Amino acid sequence: MSSLDSHRRYSVLPGRAGRCAVRFLLAVLLALGGVLLPPWTAAPTAVAAPRPIHVGSGPVGIALTPDGHHAYVTNSGSFSVSVIDTRTNKVVGRIRTGHTPFGVAVTPDGRRAYVTNALSDSVSVIDTTANEVVDDVFLKADSSPIDVAITPDGRRAYVTNAGSDSVSVIDTTDNKVIGSPLRVGSTPIGVAITPDGRRAYVTNGGFGSPVPVSVIDTSTGKVAGLPVRIGSFPYAVAVTPDGQRVYVTDQSGTVAVIDTRTDTVAGDPIPVAFKPNDVAVTRDGHRVYVTHSGAESVSVIDTSTGKATGTPIPVGGTSDGIAVTADGRRAYLTHSCCGAVSVIDLEPSR
């Protein structure tokens, strides 16, 4: 997920005024990110890459291919996606996209990457073999798409539209939008899908939103049951491999856990560092890693105890998106402040 901290200082306005506010605040964040956030400094921790991997301007979203050989990074300030070869930790390609790319997800077969373009109201489809855009899916005007998640069967892509308080569903076989957007809460940001593909969890980040987390039944294409109410500013979301828990970052400084069997909050919020941003769960389900836009560290949660473990991992700069390798040994972090991606060795924290 990407960093949109600045929009939380304002209430979300209805109608066209609200959509314009979302666009304006996105532009302000990208213009000022490098000024407001601290410059890159060396992190005193084990790092797989000896130096930060420099990509484009304002990198936010990141996704790994299923084989773990490549990472796709959205450069929101330079309207492109950088491709990193994780075996060498070098940039091997840059792909031009739409205006302000934010979220990115790779299909389970690794053949396509879907990228949301927040200020183009579109989703770019990248052929990962040729590393070029092969299609653009245009959404309704003023949608401002932010995040994207793909179902385990690879047949559907769910896109959060912060500007229209909705979620669009794309048929990945022909890259056409299915039906009308699904109405959720105010300013939807993050989206994650359960391993069985039956539910999509959407965080609604609008100030004072009465519907913090919406649950979509993917079989009916409708919002299911009652909304899950957590915290103040829900942001990113991730589901455990067994599908039983959903972890949601709340920028007030906590991570909430949702029990998917009842769609209720399980236990008390887990305190972490300041302004938790993105969240990722390891494939074995033992650890949850949380980036922070208000702290130069990554928090680690032990899923067996439901508590943050030890001291957060220092990363040398505020961080945005995170992707963890399948073996759980490394994490790739985006730093919009510095136009860089860092690689941290997770073994010391395990």
Side-chain angles (χ1 to χ4, degrees):
M1 273 298 304
S2 55
S3 177
L4 295 175
D5 303 318
S6 59
H7 93 274
R8 306 198 187 282
R9 304 172 191 165
Y10 305 85
S11 60
V12 175
L13 305 176
R16 185 172 181 80
R19 293 191 292 271
C20 290
V22 169
R23 286 170 168 260
F24 172 74
L25 290 165
L26 282 168
V28 168
L29 173 67
L30 295 175
L32 298 181
V35 176
L36 296 179
L37 298 176
W40 181 270
T41 56
T45 187
V47 180
R51 294 183 180 85
I53 305 167
H54 293 288
V55 288
S57 171
V60 280
I62 185 168
L64 292 168
T65 52
D67 62 12
H69 292 169
H70 294 90
Y72 286 77
V73 179
T74 58
N75 302 310
S76 58
S78 53
F79 313 154
S80 65
V81 167
S82 292
V83 185
I84 297 171
D85 185 327
T86 59
R87 293 160 292 190
T88 62
N89 285 327
K90 294 181 186 254
V91 174
V92 293
R94 181 172 291 183
I95 307 160
R96 188 74 178 176
T97 61
H99 199 306
T100 318
F102 263 78
V104 57
V106 178
T107 55
D109 63 10
R111 297 175 61 185
R112 295 286 188 271
Y114 284 73
V115 176
T116 61
N117 301 304
L119 297 186
S120 290
D121 296 325
S122 68
V123 175
S124 294
V125 184
I126 294 172
D127 180 326
T128 58
T129 300
N131 277 335
E132 63 182 16
V133 173
V134 293
D135 208 347
D136 286 294
V137 184
F138 291 95
L139 309 175
K140 290 189 175 180
D142 300 314
S143 293
S144 298
I146 299 297
D147 200 15
V148 55
I150 298 170
T151 54
D153 62 10
R155 298 178 60 186
R156 299 285 186 272
Y158 284 73
V159 179
T160 56
N161 301 314
S164 58
D165 299 342
S166 66
V167 171
S168 293
V169 183
I170 297 171
D171 185 333
T172 60
T173 60
D174 59 9
N175 291 324
K176 304 291 184 187
V177 176
I178 300 172
S180 299
L182 309 175
R183 296 289 296 182
V184 286
S186 173
T187 319
I189 301 294
V191 58
I193 298 172
T194 54
D196 61 12
R198 295 181 179 178
R199 290 284 192 273
Y201 287 81
V202 177
T203 59
N204 301 294
F207 181 80
S209 172
V211 188
V213 178
S214 297
V215 186
I216 296 173
D217 183 329
T218 61
S219 63
T220 64
K222 295 180 180 179
V223 175
L226 297 174
V228 183
R229 301 178 182 278
I230 63 148
S232 304
F233 303 113
Y235 195 71
V237 56
V239 184
T240 55
D242 62 9
Q244 295 185 12
R245 293 285 188 271
V246 175
Y247 287 81
V248 182
T249 59
D250 183 336
Q251 293 208 323
S252 63
T254 61
V255 174
V257 185
I258 297 171
D259 185 329
T260 61
R261 293 166 293 189
T262 60
D263 281 338
T264 57
V265 176
D268 295 326
I270 304 169
V272 289
F274 186 48
K275 285 191 177 181
N277 210 11
D278 202 9
V279 58
V281 184
T282 55
R283 184 168 291 186
D284 61 14
H286 294 166
R287 294 285 187 271
V288 174
Y289 293 93
V290 181
T291 64
H292 296 276
S293 58
E296 299 180 13
S297 62
V298 170
S299 294
V300 186
I301 296 172
D302 184 329
T303 59
S304 64
T305 64
K307 296 180 180 179
T309 63
T311 303
I313 303 169
V315 294
T318 58
S319 51
D320 297 271
I322 182 171
V324 178
T325 56
D327 60 11
R329 299 183 64 180
R330 289 190 296 174
Y332 285 75
L333 313 177
T334 60
H335 303 271
S336 62
C337 61
C338 322
V341 170
S342 65
V343 189
I344 58 175
D345 184 351
L346 300 177
E347 283 298 300
S349 67
R350 290 174 62 81

